[in-house]
Amino acid sequence: MIKVTLIGSGNLAQHLLSAFEKSTAVELVQVFSRKKESVSHLIPFDKITDNFDDLAEADVYIIAVSDDAIAEVSLQLPFKNQLVVHTSGSASMESLSDNNRKGVFYPLQTFTKGKEVDFKNIPICIESQFNDDYNLLKKVADSISDKVFSINSEQRRSLHVSAVFVNNFVNHLYKIGSDICDGHQVPFEILQPLIRETAEKIVTLSPNEAQTGPAKRNDKTTIEAHLNFLSDENHKNIYKLLTQSIQDNGKKL
Amino acid sequence: MIKVTLIGSGNLAQHLLSAFEKSTAVELVQVFSRKKESVSHLIPFDKITDNFDDLAEADVYIIAVSDDAIAEVSLQLPFKNQLVVHTSGSASMESLSDNNRKGVFYPLQTFTKGKEVDFKNIPICIESQFNDDYNLLKKVADSISDKVFSINSEQRRSLHVSAVFVNNFVNHLYKIGSDICDGHQVPFEILQPLIRETAEKIVTLSPNEAQTGPAKRNDKTTIEAHLNFLSDENHKNIYKLLTQSIQDNGKKL
């Protein structure tokens, strides 16, 4: 069994904790949490510590804290030459302290507190300073997920930026769609099958092949009618910019 | 059995045709197609006509053609005072000829040629000039879908504009995500579980509650890093506008 210690008690830390508790290849030896109660519903109380000096020995220490806190937390660890990894999509591996061997263990998913996820389908992107450590991280990742990828810091940054487009920005477009429906007493749920199919479609077609709509067909009458229909200036601006972007993309091909 | 005649042979017409062929409440009496071969794999040849004068009698004539052609096709029908409906999200009911009783039968989904869809889960938005016709359209819609909504032309227009945001524009953001991945030799499939979860999340949370990311948290360091990372001016502009929109939305609440 590979001994893992988890540092952090937030959303991602709790989801990782649950996944490791089910893994047969990993022994979760300890969780560091400033507030012990925040994870005590998930793991026996004697496995939780709020003191860095009480950290038990492990094969890998996984820091699952906010990006801003990674450097500081890694500096506070009271040991040297151990394998210490962070779980961030945007922080570089180098942001970890030089006191220990560095690595990254980045599960690429949006986690909702209280909503269980099936870790088997969550891609885990791993990276390490040393080859032996990579093999260990791969075993840990394989034990909870079927989708493990070797991704360096530069590639990980590109994934993180892409994720902002396909998750944060996409969700904001859902918000705008929902606002437009609300403004006309139309239940937003009518759009949910379309939203789901839009996401499913690109499993078999590339997003480029899947593109449809007035911008793609250059249907000026419909585009004009939509712009007249929209009363919110911000919605109009987003409509114009994305329509233009779809059309320019068509020209490039 | 309600007698239905379908006019059109495109993507939506073919999906409707397959759905009606399975319905036990509807008898598909005829399909009008300028090219008989385009639907002959779906329905017996003697039920296909390419001549408006040969149209058999039906309880409802469903025009499933492109928006531009609706008015013209409805004018060419060689009868009067029958129920004639179109299937468009953006055309008003009034675009149909006054020769016949008007209505709308709008299935809100993105249809891909050759990819079968389960019509049961596709919302159908119906509208009619006369109450009796509404009841008939409701029976036809109920026979193929579990989600039938009474939606007037103004509401339908709002749905159509919303659909551009949550389908066309969302797909374009997938395209941008895919381009960013391609530019860094990262397989786009790594993002697919995130894309699916983003779409699933808003079944239980409102898009407003589901919003996460650097814009929402006002994480200026990450936003700055992302803008520096993006090399395409168009991607930068979209990133800026959507980030600003998420932040302004936060202020309004």
Side-chain angles (χ1 to χ4, degrees):
Chain A
M1 299 270 275
I2 302 170
K3 290 183 177 178
V4 170
T5 283
L6 198 57
I7 298 165
S9 58
N11 211 349
L12 172 60
Q14 295 200 14
H15 278 102
L16 274 176
L17 194 164
S18 302
F20 286 139
E21 284 285 83
K22 285 179 213 144
S23 158
T24 52
V26 162
E27 182 195 351
L28 188 65
V29 291
Q30 211 174 30
V31 175
F32 174 92
S33 171
R34 291 195 199 278
K35 287 184 193 159
K36 290 190 178 187
E37 316 79 56
S38 52
V39 287
S40 58
H41 59 300
L42 296 169
I43 190 169
F45 209 75
D46 61 355
K47 283 191 169 185
I48 312 171
T49 180
D50 58 4
N51 185 341
F52 284 117
D53 291 323
D54 288 343
L55 281 178
E57 204 174 309
D59 298 307
V60 53
Y61 297 82
I62 301 182
I63 299 181
V65 301
S66 68
D67 290 5
D68 304 343
I70 292 170
E72 189 207 325
V73 165
S74 74
L75 273 170
Q76 287 187 42
L77 300 178
F79 44 71
K80 286 190 191 284
N81 207 26
Q82 301 296 307
L83 175 58
V84 174
V85 303
H86 72 61
T87 51
S88 162
S90 55
S92 84
M93 186 165 73
E94 293 312 314
S95 59
L96 291 163
S97 146
D98 291 330
N99 290 338
N100 289 287
R101 286 151 27 222
K102 304 175 191 188
V104 178
F105 189 93
Y106 170 46
L108 201 165
Q109 185 52 285
T110 170
F111 297 94
T112 310
K113 222 159 205 161
K115 186 185 177 200
E116 211 177 330
V117 290
D118 183 3
F119 242 95
K120 285 278 158 227
N121 296 316
I122 296 180
I124 300 180
C125 305
I126 55 176
E127 179 183 8
S128 69
Q129 225 179 340
F130 301 104
N131 276 342
D132 286 354
D133 291 337
Y134 181 86
N135 295 332
L136 186 101
L137 287 179
K138 173 114 172 68
K139 277 181 200 157
V140 174
D142 281 341
S143 85
I144 58 173
S145 168
D146 291 337
K147 297 175 176 180
V148 180
F149 295 86
S150 167
I151 295 288
N152 65 33
S153 286
E154 171 80 0
Q155 291 175 313
R156 190 157 35 80
R157 245 187 307 269
S158 78
L159 272 172
H160 194 252
V161 177
S162 295
V164 168
F165 281 88
V166 304
N167 168 256
N168 301 165
F169 292 165
V170 160
N171 185 75
H172 186 59
L173 295 184
Y174 297 159
K175 170 70 170 67
I176 293 174
S178 161
D179 285 350
I180 294 170
C181 285
D182 287 353
H184 295 83
Q185 290 77 52
V186 175
F188 180 57
E189 61 159 305
I190 301 187
L191 288 168
Q192 254 153 13
L194 176 66
I195 286 171
R196 187 177 293 124
E197 179 68 13
T198 305
E200 291 297 329
K201 213 166 171 172
I202 57 157
V203 175
T204 46
L205 293 178
S206 75
N208 202 45
E209 295 165 317
Q211 190 66 54
T212 58
K216 171 77 174 185
R217 311 190 283 278
N218 195 20
D219 174 350
K220 290 186 184 122
T221 317
T222 302
I223 293 169
E224 210 48 52
H226 284 174
L227 286 169
N228 285 331
F229 186 85
L230 290 168
S231 53
D232 183 305
E233 276 306 312
N234 178 43
H235 294 174
K236 270 191 217 275
N237 289 337
I238 291 171
Y239 190 104
K240 282 181 204 163
L241 185 62
L242 291 174
T243 292
Q244 188 62 50
S245 181
I246 291 171
Q247 296 188 328
D248 291 346
N249 183 64
K251 283 178 210 149
K252 268 188 276 177
L253 296 173
Chain B
M1 299 271 274
I2 302 170
K3 289 183 178 177
V4 170
T5 284
L6 198 56
I7 297 165
S9 58
N11 210 349
L12 172 59
Q14 296 201 10
H15 279 102
L16 275 176
L17 195 164
S18 303
F20 288 139
E21 283 284 84
K22 284 180 212 145
S23 159
T24 52
V26 162
E27 183 195 348
L28 188 65
V29 292
Q30 212 173 29
V31 175
F32 175 92
S33 171
R34 291 196 199 277
K35 287 185 194 159
K36 292 190 176 186
E37 316 78 56
S38 53
V39 286
S40 58
H41 59 300
L42 296 169
I43 191 169
F45 209 73
D46 60 355
K47 283 191 170 185
I48 312 171
T49 180
D50 57 3
N51 185 342
F52 283 118
D53 291 322
D54 289 342
L55 280 178
E57 205 174 307
D59 298 308
V60 53
Y61 298 82
I62 300 181
I63 299 181
V65 301
S66 67
D67 289 4
D68 304 342
I70 292 170
E72 189 208 324
V73 165
S74 74
L75 272 170
Q76 286 188 43
L77 299 178
F79 44 72
K80 286 192 191 281
N81 208 26
Q82 300 297 307
L83 175 57
V84 174
V85 305
H86 72 59
T87 51
S88 162
S90 56
S92 85
M93 187 165 71
E94 293 311 316
S95 60
L96 290 163
S97 147
D98 291 331
N99 292 338
N100 289 287
R101 284 148 32 221
K102 305 176 190 187
V104 177
F105 189 95
Y106 169 45
L108 203 166
Q109 185 50 285
T110 171
F111 296 95
T112 311
K113 220 158 207 163
K115 187 185 176 198
E116 211 176 332
V117 290
D118 183 3
F119 242 95
K120 285 278 156 230
N121 296 317
I122 296 179
I124 299 182
C125 305
I126 55 177
E127 179 183 9
S128 67
Q129 223 178 344
F130 302 104
N131 276 342
D132 286 354
D133 291 338
Y134 182 87
N135 296 333
L136 186 101
L137 287 179
K138 174 115 170 71
K139 277 182 202 156
V140 174
D142 282 342
S143 85
I144 58 172
S145 167
D146 291 339
K147 296 177 176 179
V148 180
F149 296 85
S150 167
I151 295 288
N152 65 33
S153 286
E154 172 80 1
Q155 291 175 313
R156 190 157 35 80
R157 246 188 306 269
S158 79
L159 273 172
H160 194 251
V161 177
S162 295
V164 169
F165 281 88
V166 305
N167 168 256
N168 301 164
F169 292 166
V170 160
N171 184 75
H172 186 59
L173 295 184
Y174 297 160
K175 168 71 169 67
I176 293 174
S178 161
D179 284 349
I180 295 169
C181 285
D182 287 353
H184 296 84
Q185 289 79 50
V186 175
F188 180 58
E189 61 159 306
I190 301 187
L191 289 168
Q192 256 154 11
L194 176 66
I195 285 170
R196 185 176 295 125
E197 178 68 12
T198 306
E200 291 297 328
K201 212 167 173 173
I202 57 159
V203 175
T204 47
L205 294 178
S206 74
N208 202 46
E209 294 165 318
Q211 190 66 56
T212 57
K216 170 78 173 182
R217 310 190 285 280
N218 194 19
D219 175 350
K220 289 187 184 121
T221 316
T222 302
I223 293 170
E224 211 46 55
H226 284 175
L227 285 170
N228 285 332
F229 186 84
L230 290 169
S231 52
D232 182 305
E233 276 308 311
N234 178 44
H235 295 173
K236 269 191 217 276
N237 288 337
I238 293 171
Y239 190 103
K240 283 182 203 163
L241 186 63
L242 292 174
T243 292
Q244 187 63 47
S245 181
I246 290 170
Q247 296 188 328
D248 290 346
N249 183 65
K251 283 176 208 151
K252 269 187 278 180
L253 297 172

